[in-house]
Amino acid sequence: MRRRPLSTNYLTDFSTNDRKDATVPHVVALIPAHNEAERIPAALEALARQERVPDAVHVVADNCSDDTAAVAARHGAHVLRSEDNRHKKAGALNQALDRILPDLADDDLVLVQDADTALSPTFVTSATGAMAAGVGAVGGIFYGEGGGGLLGLLQRIEFHRYAREITRRGHRADVLTGTATMFRVATLRQIRQARHDGRIGGGTSYYSLASLTEDDEITKAVRTLGYRTVSPMGCDVVTEVMTTVPKLWHQRMRWQRGALENLRDYGWTPVTAPYIVRQAFMGLSVVFLLLYIAFTCWMFARGRPEFSHFWIAIGLLFVTEKVVTARSAGWRSQLLAATLAVELLYDMFQHAVYLRSLWDMLHRREESWRAT
């Protein structure tokens, strides 16, 4: 199959007054990038391999000090440079959307993806198919790239489990992941208008400038407007994993803190209620794990560990759940899960992130956004 070239003329290609078939929505890819010269070629090459190649690809070069813009241009993308942007990814996306949306029709589609992410060849086809069913936005199902040693493997297992949960929920997307999400233009315009009208906070543009996690916040915005959000089969992406504990800590602190603050800002609504309940259950899981570990340590401290059938059953339940849910990540992941100890340490890390995020939010300590 011959590849369609990536369009670079974003002003004329999408004129709503000059289209061969106005019934077929155009697909515009938007990639915000800050110093991503090394990784953006893979993202652009993956777009060129799509079964349904986007009609145009725009790379938003945001305060870059490397060759991101030049590399993107060499790979066929149109480069948009942010201007005096102090709001990181959300600010860069808002500027780009202000430039391209006036030339798009309401039924056209905008694919927003990270520069460190490669889409599966079926992503655009699957996402546009789901859009035809009337959903407001389609999020990707993300998997971790190779490498990163033990820490990378643990993240890949985690991502595989998250993908499994999406399937079990009937492909409902609880978060329109920043790795890759497709929006209908009309939905983006409605979000902007809702912010202008004060029905949704976060500024007066498409993405919230007040949130640490703009993808989590815009999910709640889309759903508050009454739209469904889905992550259907075929919308797989492969994204970067954190290779050091400090990088992972900062990433997860931003994710967790942002999620908690978004819930605080939206308050209790029919949309946020399930998220708030899920956060409460996360808190309970922290308590239960700490109690289990404390009891186990107490038994060994006595010098004569005597585990009842109940506590042995609890331990076996932990192991079984870990092994079964890691199946799609491969046999090595299942072997690691069977040891239990390593994953318990990873769980404790996640719980520490949750507790620290909750503590900082309650004490109004600021968490800054910076690239990892």
Side-chain angles (χ1 to χ4, degrees):
M1 183 176 67
R2 186 176 180 181
R3 293 180 183 174
R4 295 171 59 192
L6 301 179
S7 172
T8 60
N9 192 339
Y10 78 100
L11 289 177
T12 59
D13 285 352
F14 305 114
S15 172
T16 56
N17 297 319
D18 183 20
R19 291 184 171 178
K20 294 181 180 180
D21 187 354
T23 65
V24 178
H26 284 77
V27 178
V28 182
L30 201 57
I31 308 177
H34 172 71
N35 292 341
E36 294 284 2
E38 292 185 5
R39 300 189 60 91
I40 204 164
L44 293 171
E45 289 164 6
L47 283 175
R49 290 193 297 268
Q50 291 293 301
E51 293 176 349
R52 200 291 199 199
V53 178
D55 298 282
V57 177
H58 306 294
V59 170
V60 189
D62 180 40
N63 297 318
C64 294
S65 59
D66 68 356
D67 294 330
T68 295
V71 172
R74 285 200 298 270
H75 281 77
H78 183 271
V79 177
L80 302 174
R81 298 179 186 272
S82 63
E83 299 176 0
D84 300 320
N85 177 37
R86 299 181 180 179
H87 298 285
K88 303 297 181 179
K89 181 179 175 181
L93 284 171
N94 286 340
Q95 288 189 16
L97 289 169
D98 277 337
R99 297 183 203 180
I100 68 172
L101 256 58
D103 294 293
L104 298 177
D106 278 348
D107 288 336
D108 287 335
L109 306 171
V110 176
L111 169 63
V112 179
Q113 75 157 89
D114 283 344
D116 59 7
T117 299
L119 277 57
S120 66
T122 58
F123 188 101
V124 174
T125 301
S126 298
T128 53
M131 282 293 192
V135 303
V138 174
I141 304 173
F142 54 90
Y143 297 90
E145 65 184 10
L150 177 61
L151 193 62
L153 178 58
L154 288 167
Q155 291 169 79
R156 287 190 289 277
I157 294 173
E158 179 188 6
F159 295 164
H160 272 275
R161 286 183 177 134
Y162 182 69
R164 183 174 183 269
E165 281 300 308
I166 290 175
T167 302
R168 292 181 63 186
R169 293 195 302 260
H171 298 282
R172 184 184 74 242
D174 286 337
V175 176
L176 295 170
T177 169
T179 55
T181 291
M182 181 177 285
F183 298 93
R184 196 182 310 278
V185 168
T187 305
L188 289 170
R189 287 173 174 153
Q190 289 170 29
I191 290 172
R192 187 172 185 268
Q193 188 61 51
R195 296 198 199 278
H196 270 281
D197 295 342
R199 290 183 287 138
I200 301 175
T204 58
S205 195
Y206 309 97
Y207 280 90
S208 170
L209 302 181
S211 176
L212 288 169
T213 48
E214 71 288 328
D215 51 353
D216 177 80
E217 192 281 334
I218 205 168
T219 307
K220 292 173 176 59
V222 171
R223 299 184 73 173
T224 297
L225 292 177
Y227 291 106
R228 290 190 299 127
T229 55
V230 299
S231 292
M233 294 180 62
C235 286
D236 302 340
V237 306
V238 177
T239 193
E240 182 183 21
V241 295
M242 299 297 101
T243 55
T244 67
V245 173
K247 287 183 177 181
L248 182 63
W249 173 266
H250 176 73
Q251 180 196 64
R252 298 313 169 87
M253 280 291 294
R254 186 169 64 85
W255 289 1
Q256 183 60 59
R257 179 73 178 273
L260 290 171
E261 291 185 349
N262 290 337
L263 290 175
R264 178 198 63 195
D265 294 342
Y266 272 79
W268 182 278
T269 70
V271 169
T272 61
Y275 293 91
I276 294 172
V277 171
R278 195 173 300 121
Q279 290 292 334
F281 275 112
M282 188 180 300
L284 288 176
S285 72
V286 173
V287 174
F288 290 148
L289 180 59
L290 289 176
L291 287 175
Y292 182 78
I293 293 173
F295 178 81
T296 303
C297 292
W298 176 73
M299 291 289 289
F300 276 103
R302 293 175 59 198
R304 293 181 302 115
E306 298 174 0
F307 295 100
S308 67
H309 293 301
F310 173 77
W311 286 104
I312 292 173
I314 292 294
L316 290 175
L317 186 63
F318 272 136
V319 173
T320 302
E321 188 271 339
K322 294 290 187 184
V323 172
V324 170
T325 56
R327 182 174 57 185
S328 62
W331 64 269
R332 289 185 177 86
S333 297
Q334 287 187 289
L335 283 178
L336 178 63
T339 66
L340 188 60
V342 176
E343 285 223 87
L344 278 179
L345 289 174
Y346 192 64
D347 288 343
M348 291 173 67
F349 173 87
Q350 301 272 42
H351 290 166
V353 169
Y354 174 82
L355 291 173
R356 177 61 185 272
S357 297
L358 190 61
W359 176 268
D360 286 351
M361 188 184 74
L362 291 175
H363 289 77
R364 300 187 180 279
R365 294 179 179 173
E366 290 192 16
E367 174 69 13
S368 62
W369 193 108
R370 67 176 183 272
T372 51

